[in-house]
Amino acid sequence: MIRSFLYLITLSLWIQACSTAEDQNSQPAALPTEVPIMKVSSSLAMESKQDSIDPILHNRKYRRLKSEIALHLQAIKSDTSLQDEMRYDSLKHYVSHILIDSIFSYWIGTPWDFNGYTDKPRVGEIACGYFVSTTIRDLGVPINRYKVAQKAAAYIIKDLCDPQSIQRFTSFEKMSSLLEQQADNEIFIVGLDFHVGFLFRRRGKLYFAHSNYINSEGVIIEEAEHSVALGHSRAYVLGNLSSNKILFSPWLP
């Protein structure tokens, strides 16, 4: 869930991403609406049956969340008591939790479409590449989400992940063996044959957050071992998003 913003928490080339199309820009103002706490179930297999959600109110709260994130990250940058490594650790910890427990949660239930490029959760459709680039953009990373999303998955990973962490695998089992050695809440981006999404561990389990193309289901967080999309791929490219210090450069003095 979203942690209190009042406290500083110490925190190839052949793979295609299922994303394309042009985008529309919108710059709505943050509204003084209470930011909801998106409670994550113990399994993290989040339900997508949220038809009762008012999409207008949902996006007001999401805009407020983005404003709060910007303020908190700026506070970390401005804290003169933090040494460089402590500042980086705080940023890494905060970014991981805010993505997993908040930003991803807002997008649950947004339908998939090959040409989907919405930047409003649960309004319109979103392709897998746009889900990756938009959530990273909404975190505050200064990227062009359109250009990133329209790249092959291997290039998305190259743009966003620690270059020294990028590896290729021929089976899900081999990739899982590596991920079992990683700490909880480390966030990875994985590229499949024609798909891309996020992988992370929580309480010893591996989860896949992505805009699921199967049956146009859309954005879900599911246990990786039960993911049909992951299981059907013949090749995998994996990169560590959390360990990419360049990603955090906007908030480093």
Side-chain angles (χ1 to χ4, degrees):
M1 66 170 55
I2 300 176
R3 295 184 181 260
S4 171
F5 290 99
L6 298 178
Y7 295 92
L8 178 64
I9 45 181
T10 56
L11 322 2
S12 244
L13 302 182
W14 32 262
I15 295 182
Q16 298 294 324
C18 54
S19 56
T20 185
E22 297 298 322
D23 190 28
Q24 301 172 346
N25 293 318
S26 63
Q27 297 179 342
L31 298 178
T33 312
E34 181 181 1
V35 179
I37 296 176
M38 307 299 288
K39 183 173 177 59
V40 179
S41 67
S42 59
S43 68
L44 276 181
M46 305 286 291
E47 293 189 18
S48 296
K49 295 184 285 187
Q50 301 183 27
D51 296 335
S52 62
I53 287 179
D54 180 339
I56 296 177
L57 178 60
H58 190 64
N59 276 277
R60 285 178 179 173
K61 292 177 178 179
Y62 189 59
R63 293 195 295 269
R64 173 63 183 272
L65 170 67
K66 290 190 290 183
S67 296
E68 296 284 1
I69 291 170
L71 289 172
H72 191 77
L73 291 172
Q74 185 59 41
I76 295 176
K77 179 178 181 178
S78 303
D79 190 339
T80 57
S81 68
L82 292 175
Q83 300 297 321
D84 288 346
E85 279 305 309
M86 183 179 294
R87 190 186 313 277
Y88 169 68
D89 288 344
S90 297
L91 286 168
K92 180 178 177 180
H93 184 78
Y94 177 73
V95 164
S96 294
H97 280 278
I98 208 68
L99 277 173
I100 293 170
D101 293 330
S102 298
I103 291 179
F104 292 166
S105 297
Y106 269 94
W107 284 90
I108 294 290
T110 307
W112 173 91
D113 184 82
F114 184 82
N115 296 312
Y117 56 88
T118 184
D119 65 351
K120 298 178 178 64
R122 298 189 63 81
V123 177
E125 298 82 30
I126 194 161
C128 58
Y130 274 104
F131 172 64
V132 170
S133 67
T134 303
T135 52
I136 297 301
R137 190 279 310 269
D138 289 352
L139 180 65
V141 178
I143 63 171
N144 185 319
R145 76 181 187 103
Y146 329 121
K147 290 182 178 180
V148 172
Q150 292 167 10
K151 294 182 179 182
Y155 284 110
I156 293 177
I157 292 167
K158 183 178 179 181
D159 283 352
L160 299 178
C161 296
D162 177 2
Q164 296 183 350
S165 73
I166 298 174
Q167 298 186 55
R168 291 167 171 77
F169 301 90
T170 56
S171 72
F172 175 71
E173 289 73 22
K174 291 179 180 179
M175 182 176 66
S176 295
S177 295
L178 171 70
L179 291 170
E180 286 176 0
Q181 305 169 29
Q182 306 303 314
D184 274 9
N185 304 314
E186 289 279 318
I187 300 180
F188 295 80
I189 299 178
V190 61
L192 312 181
D193 291 337
F194 300 98
H195 196 50
V196 65
F198 298 96
L199 284 169
F200 61 91
R201 288 172 57 81
R202 174 63 66 83
R203 304 183 193 93
K205 290 198 175 206
L206 183 64
Y207 295 94
F208 188 32
H210 61 124
S211 185
N212 192 12
Y213 63 89
I214 298 174
N215 298 322
S216 300
E217 182 176 15
V219 179
I220 59 172
I221 301 174
E222 59 180 344
E223 293 186 18
E225 63 179 328
H226 301 309
S227 171
V228 175
L230 278 173
H232 281 182
S233 188
R234 295 169 298 176
Y236 306 83
V237 176
L238 185 73
N240 191 321
L241 179 77
S242 300
S243 65
N244 184 10
K245 287 192 175 183
I246 296 176
L247 189 74
F248 304 110
S249 60
W251 310 299
L252 296 173

